[in-house]
Amino acid sequence: MSVWNPDNIKDVAESIGISSLNDDVLQALSSDIEYRLSQVLEEALKFMRHSRRMTLSTQDVAQALRVLDIEPLYGYESTRPLRFGEASIGPGQPLFYVEDEEVDFEKLINAPLPKVPREISLTAHWLAVEGVQPSIPQNPTLADSRNQELVPKGPGANPNLAALTGSDNITVKPLVKHILSKELQLYFAKVCSAVLDENNDEYRVAALASIRTDPGLHQLVPYFVNFIAEKVTHHLKDLFVLTQTMQLTSALLENKQLYVDPYIGSIVPPVLTCLVGRHLGSSSEPLAHYPLRNIAAALLGSICKKFAKSSHTLKPRLARTCLKHFLDPTKPLGTSYGGIIGLQAIGGTEVVRALILPNVKEYESLIREPLEDDGSPKKAEAEAVLTALVGALQTLEDDTMGMMKGLQNGSDEDPREKLEEKVGSLVAGRVLDMGRPKFAQALLEA
């Protein structure tokens, strides 16, 4: 038996012209109404609880009706709870009504009239003229700007500025305590210490293996990215720390369970620093930092392959940066080496053909002098740069294998002059010394 009174349904039916309803129909409609009302009330109570309130409002009911795809009620939107009065129209028949506020007409008539609202209008003014903000009422004053600058911007705010505003005694708790569990905080600390532990290889390898495979590190990704950036920035003279940060970056990117797309903009700068940085490491060995640059180049190539589709400007920006460091005569040879291998890793054959090959002849003037001087301290680095150039150009050989003509078909023409004209005497001599005619022909046809 339904709690809803069937007489109410009969009254509504008569109001729309239905004079007679079967008792079974009334009972079925009563049960359905009861179910619908309970469904609406349950949804409304959910909105009330999520709003952290103890009183059900008409807005909660309206939201519940909207969620259930039912036309909401009109005329009952109120920011305060409605007060209902009770009147008796007979024995056992109470009538509830909304109490209206009583208005004294004498006070209403004698009350002063409100101000006439201004007409809506639009006024144009200069926000800035040639970068200078004019002092007009529409623009913020210098005092307002100064006060805004003095407001601390979070836990990393300048303490001197905070002292000027009188808020230097405020203690700001770090967000890590509220976001990360104690287990994740402990894991992060252990991994960071293990990665930088120079005396325990097994501990370090285990930490990197855990990052590569653990699927529950989503919350730690921004903290690892910040850790990598901080270590690269403050330890440019420590090759071990730089190498381990690149290994950590590689481990994060290899973990297929982690979503690192939003952090690529923060990951790339440390990798580029290790690739084309001016002075990396403090060792007297001139080639000590070249393995680090090789790791960074491989990492940059991996980033381009995985994330170039989601960021269409990633490859062009990285190629532009590497080309700039490759051709800058003021940069050391290590930077040029990083630019060459970086371009090769970013785009492969296409980038080598478009950006490296046309500039090889002009660039060889930068390494000719140290290569010809046996006593030059830069000879080893120049040799490494020349080897990197030839290695990058070798990618053109496989790309043009199907179009080979000339040398391999028995051409008697000496290719040295053409090669020297195309890539310079240093690279041409190195290519011919390798005894690979297909490689030479590929350079001539590229």
Side-chain angles (χ1 to χ4, degrees):
M1 182 176 180
S2 174
V3 179
W4 190 262
N5 191 353
D7 294 338
N8 293 335
I9 301 176
K10 189 179 294 184
D11 294 339
V12 173
E14 291 176 354
S15 66
I16 60 176
I18 301 176
S19 57
S20 61
L21 279 178
N22 192 345
D23 292 340
D24 295 337
V25 174
L26 287 176
Q27 189 64 34
L29 288 175
S30 299
S31 302
D32 185 69
I33 291 174
E34 182 182 353
Y35 168 73
R36 301 295 178 185
L37 286 176
S38 63
Q39 188 180 21
V40 171
L41 289 176
E42 286 178 2
E43 293 294 333
L45 288 174
K46 290 180 183 178
F47 282 100
M48 181 193 74
R49 295 191 191 99
H50 283 290
S51 301
R52 300 183 182 277
R53 288 185 281 103
M54 301 299 295
T55 304
L56 190 68
S57 67
T58 56
Q59 293 181 352
D60 298 329
V61 177
Q63 294 290 347
L65 293 174
R66 186 175 289 109
V67 167
L68 296 173
D69 199 18
I70 303 173
E71 185 178 5
L73 298 176
Y74 300 102
Y76 285 95
E77 288 289 337
S78 176
T79 57
R80 59 182 181 178
L82 299 176
R83 297 177 58 186
F84 292 91
E86 182 180 354
S88 179
I89 59 176
Q93 296 183 357
L95 175 66
F96 295 93
Y97 63 93
V98 179
E99 292 185 353
D100 294 328
E101 182 181 358
E102 294 183 0
V103 179
D104 189 348
F105 282 101
E106 185 176 354
K107 292 183 179 180
L108 182 62
I109 294 173
N110 296 330
L113 295 175
K115 293 183 179 181
V116 179
R118 295 181 179 180
E119 294 184 0
I120 300 176
S121 61
L122 299 175
T123 303
H125 69 89
W126 289 101
L127 180 63
V129 179
E130 296 184 357
V132 180
Q133 178 178 286
S135 299
I136 56 178
Q138 289 85 350
N139 288 334
T141 62
L142 294 177
D144 295 337
S145 302
R146 177 62 178 168
N147 292 335
Q148 187 66 25
E149 291 176 359
L150 295 178
V151 175
K153 302 298 191 299
N158 192 325
N160 298 326
L161 296 181
L164 291 176
T165 59
S167 58
D168 53 332
N169 293 326
I170 297 177
T171 302
V172 181
K173 295 182 179 180
L175 295 178
V176 179
K177 181 176 180 181
H178 305 287
I179 296 177
L180 298 179
S181 63
K182 291 183 179 180
E183 291 79 7
L184 282 178
Q185 294 184 47
L186 181 61
Y187 177 87
F188 178 73
K190 292 290 185 182
V191 167
C192 291
S193 62
V195 169
L196 300 181
D197 189 353
E198 194 170 358
N199 300 320
N200 195 334
D201 294 342
E202 184 179 357
Y203 193 27
R204 188 168 62 251
V205 171
L208 294 175
S210 175
I211 295 177
R212 287 190 183 93
T213 57
D214 198 326
L217 303 180
H218 298 278
Q219 290 180 300
L220 289 177
V221 172
Y223 299 96
F224 279 125
V225 172
N226 184 61
F227 173 78
I228 292 168
E230 180 183 355
K231 292 302 177 183
V232 171
T233 303
H234 296 93
H235 295 83
L236 291 177
K237 298 298 182 181
D238 193 335
L239 286 178
F240 175 77
V241 174
L242 295 178
T243 303
Q244 292 311 306
T245 54
M246 292 299 99
Q247 296 288 356
L248 177 59
T249 305
S250 177
L252 286 174
L253 296 176
E254 290 175 13
N255 192 330
K256 298 180 180 180
Q257 310 297 329
L258 299 181
Y259 181 64
V260 296
D261 293 58
Y263 307 101
I264 292 302
S266 300
I267 292 176
V268 168
V271 178
L272 281 177
T273 300
C274 294
L275 178 66
V276 296
R278 271 181 169 271
H279 305 290
L280 301 177
S282 57
S283 175
S284 59
E285 175 63 34
L287 301 181
H289 52 87
Y290 279 67
L292 172 64
R293 297 183 191 274
N294 292 332
I295 296 174
L299 196 54
L300 203 62
S302 175
I303 291 174
C304 289
K305 289 179 182 178
K306 292 183 66 175
F307 305 102
K309 293 183 179 179
S310 59
S311 178
H312 299 293
T313 61
L314 180 63
K315 271 190 176 182
R317 287 188 288 115
L318 292 178
R320 192 182 307 116
T321 301
C322 291
L323 181 64
K324 175 183 175 182
H325 287 83
F326 165 44
L327 298 179
D328 192 346
T330 62
K331 302 291 185 182
L333 293 178
T335 298
S336 300
Y337 176 86
I340 295 169
I341 61 176
L343 287 171
Q344 181 184 357
I346 290 170
T349 306
E350 296 178 2
V351 173
V352 172
R353 179 182 290 109
L355 300 180
I356 295 181
L357 182 60
N359 298 298
V360 170
K361 187 175 180 180
E362 296 181 5
Y363 178 78
E364 76 167 11
S365 60
L366 300 179
I367 59 174
R368 179 181 296 277
E369 182 178 349
L371 281 175
E372 294 177 351
D373 186 2
D374 294 336
S376 174
K378 296 183 179 180
K379 183 174 182 179
E381 292 190 78
E383 185 68 30
V385 173
L386 180 59
T387 303
L389 274 175
V390 175
L393 295 175
Q394 285 182 15
T395 59
L396 300 175
E397 180 180 0
D398 298 333
D399 191 54
T400 55
M401 284 293 291
M403 302 181 295
M404 284 295 135
K405 294 179 181 179
L407 289 177
Q408 64 271 35
N409 291 337
S411 175
D412 297 330
E413 186 179 357
D414 185 10
R416 179 177 292 275
E417 293 183 3
K418 290 186 177 181
L419 276 178
E420 290 182 354
E421 183 180 353
K422 182 102 181 230
V423 296
S425 59
L426 289 177
V427 176
R430 184 64 61 88
V431 171
L432 294 176
D433 291 342
M434 295 171 65
R436 294 166 59 181
K438 293 183 179 180
F439 181 23
Q441 186 67 18
L443 291 179
L444 293 176
E445 293 183 357

